[in-house]
Amino acid sequence: MFIPLRTDSPLRRTPYVNWLLIALNVVGFALQMAYKQKADRFTLDPGEPSVLTFFTSMFMHGDIWHITANMLFLYIFGNKVNDKLGHIPYLIFYLAGGVFAGFTYIWTSSPVAMEGAAAVYAPVLGASGAIAAVTGAFLVLYPQVRVHIFVLAIFSFFTIEVPGWALVAVFFVQDVVLQLLPGAGGNVAHSAHIGGSVFGFVVIFTLVAVGLIPRSPTDALAAVKRWNRRREYRDAIATGWNPYGFGGSPPNAKDAAIAKPDSAQQRVMELRAEISESIAHGKHDQAAELYLQLKQLSPGQVLSRQAQLDVANELALQERYPQAAEAYERLLAEYPKHDQLAAVTLILGVILRRELAQPQRAAQWLAVAAEALPPGNQRNTALEHLELAKGDILAGGVGSASKQ
């Protein structure tokens, strides 16, 4: 037996909607236990489905173990998906995934008995279909994020880490096998799990592909594109093209233009992917080193908004102030509406004045910070350093005149 415990990727925002869904499931289960005789009318019956039961059945469970397992999976995978999608989109996606899973169950259900001329179907309840949609989304958005798993063996127990894609794939294959084997599924609605997983993967992959969800160098679409580039590279070599420029017969010019990769561009993409993965795993020092390599290779590169901020903060913590200042300035230039604009300009201004002795540049950023920050300690700090920067400018001007 194995139990997922957590992922190794930190959250960027508090997943309030996912926590709300967990709470609603717990409340729904408690009401179900309190009113057992009336609970059956709120399950999803393939013979008599209704709009209401598509939703109410999502918040009901068979027993304490059923809800415990489901809520554990929802907590681990749903937090990250909520983090990526935002609150309202995540809520809509979760409910839509549960409804689609319900339709899949109805479509694949067979009568379990006959009462006269009427067919009798086994009703379904549980959040598993919606949670399967969440895991499908997780597979697209975070395939490389690792999941910590508690393993209980016969005579021992231990924890291991596995890639998120592997864990999701194992459960999906298990559902497919048990759905196809007659009588092997027991009283578990494996078809609903399959429907939810397919819904989550297809919908999120499509939204990522068309740009409605921000791209990430480590998402599934990026992985597919990297695989395709490697395939084209291998195909080009198989035709006789030598990437080192000697020996063999090159492919025709058209094929070469398509197949031959730009090694510098490919390395840039690899470095960006490695930076994102390092940040996702909390390895900010490694991300900072990779960022400096990226800047040497392609000075104009800018990371995603949060990644650029994380790297700049890490460089400042390492007291690599020139590199940190450059990273902060790149962030402000690329993302002028950054939600932490005021705080970033304050940090940049202080670094430029105190650590790099560049009072004129410091004064420009400190003035922005003083105007943007609300009354309080940070604004007072900005004003204090702004006055000091102005004093440094004046002192520098007097010194220059006396030397002439």
Side-chain angles (χ1 to χ4, degrees):
M1 181 181 72
F2 59 91
I3 303 170
L5 300 176
R6 66 182 184 279
T7 68
D8 66 352
S9 178
L11 297 171
R12 301 297 183 191
R13 73 179 95 191
T14 304
Y16 291 117
V17 169
N18 198 55
W19 293 357
L20 174 63
L21 289 170
I22 292 172
L24 290 175
N25 273 278
V26 173
V27 171
F29 181 69
L31 292 173
Q32 178 187 347
M33 293 296 102
Y35 302 97
K36 291 183 179 181
Q37 294 180 346
K38 298 180 180 180
D40 289 348
R41 71 181 67 175
F42 296 104
T43 60
L44 179 60
D45 186 345
E48 297 180 0
S50 69
V51 174
L52 177 64
T53 57
F54 269 105
F55 292 97
T56 56
S57 62
M58 276 191 256
F59 298 94
M60 302 173 66
H61 290 84
D63 53 45
I64 188 64
W65 301 112
H66 187 198
I67 188 173
T68 299
N70 273 351
M71 293 306 100
L72 178 60
F73 271 74
L74 181 56
Y75 178 80
I76 291 171
F77 295 104
N79 282 351
K80 289 294 296 177
V81 178
N82 185 177
D83 186 10
K84 183 71 172 182
L85 299 187
H87 298 312
I88 301 302
Y90 174 69
L91 178 61
I92 295 171
F93 167 78
Y94 178 90
L95 295 175
V99 170
F100 188 88
F103 273 115
T104 306
Y105 177 75
I106 292 173
W107 178 58
T108 57
S109 291
S110 299
V112 295
M114 298 293 294
E115 290 185 355
V120 178
Y121 294 85
V124 67
L125 76 171
S128 302
I131 295 170
V134 171
T135 61
F138 187 92
L139 181 59
V140 175
L141 300 172
Y142 305 103
Q144 299 302 321
V145 167
R146 302 183 73 80
V147 181
H148 296 254
I149 294 177
F150 174 80
V151 180
L152 180 61
I154 297 176
F155 299 109
S156 64
F157 59 89
F158 53 91
T159 59
I160 59 172
E161 288 185 10
V162 299
W165 69 263
L167 184 62
V168 173
V170 165
F171 280 102
F172 181 77
V173 171
Q174 173 184 278
D175 283 321
V176 171
V177 170
L178 293 177
Q179 176 65 23
L180 295 177
L181 291 177
N187 63 345
V188 178
H190 294 288
S191 63
H193 298 179
I194 296 169
S197 296
V198 171
F199 173 88
F201 183 91
V202 172
V203 168
I204 298 303
F205 190 91
T206 302
L207 293 177
V208 170
V210 301
L212 293 179
I213 294 177
R215 288 289 314 281
S216 164
T218 57
D219 62 31
L221 184 59
V224 170
K225 290 185 175 181
R226 286 195 296 271
W227 171 84
N228 191 51
R229 287 196 301 272
R230 289 194 294 268
R231 179 190 60 79
E232 291 178 343
Y233 184 79
R234 289 194 300 268
D235 290 348
I237 292 176
T239 63
W241 170 65
N242 190 313
Y244 300 103
F246 57 86
S249 56
N252 63 60
K254 181 179 179 182
D255 290 342
I258 296 173
K260 184 175 180 180
D262 183 331
S263 58
Q265 182 181 9
Q266 186 167 346
R267 182 54 183 156
V268 165
M269 296 181 70
E270 290 173 352
L271 281 169
R272 290 180 68 93
E274 290 172 15
I275 291 169
S276 295
E277 189 168 353
S278 297
I279 291 174
H281 294 165
K283 300 176 181 178
H284 293 87
D285 54 342
Q286 180 176 307
E289 292 297 332
L290 292 168
Y291 173 77
L292 296 180
Q293 294 179 33
L294 177 67
K295 298 298 289 185
Q296 288 182 342
L297 185 61
S298 179
Q301 290 290 315
V302 182
L303 305 175
S304 67
R305 182 170 59 179
Q306 187 59 49
Q308 186 76 16
L309 178 59
D310 288 342
V311 166
N313 289 340
E314 179 63 27
L315 290 169
L317 288 172
Q318 294 179 11
E319 298 183 0
R320 301 164 86 164
Y321 296 117
Q323 296 90 339
E326 187 275 340
Y328 282 126
E329 288 187 314
R330 285 283 182 179
L331 172 69
L332 294 168
E334 186 70 16
Y335 305 104
K337 295 184 179 180
H338 194 286
D339 54 1
Q340 298 186 45
L341 171 70
V344 171
T345 53
L346 173 57
I347 295 170
L348 176 59
V350 171
I351 289 175
L352 289 170
R353 188 200 74 78
R354 189 171 62 190
E355 309 297 343
L356 301 181
Q358 298 182 29
Q360 289 189 340
R361 289 174 63 199
Q364 294 174 357
W365 291 116
L366 289 166
V368 173
E371 182 177 351
L373 287 166
N377 291 335
Q378 284 191 324
R379 187 163 186 260
N380 293 338
T381 300
L383 291 170
E384 178 185 346
H385 280 277
L386 179 58
E387 291 302 315
L388 291 171
K390 291 177 178 179
D392 292 340
I393 293 171
L394 290 174
V398 172
S400 297
S402 62
K403 289 177 182 177
Q404 291 177 1

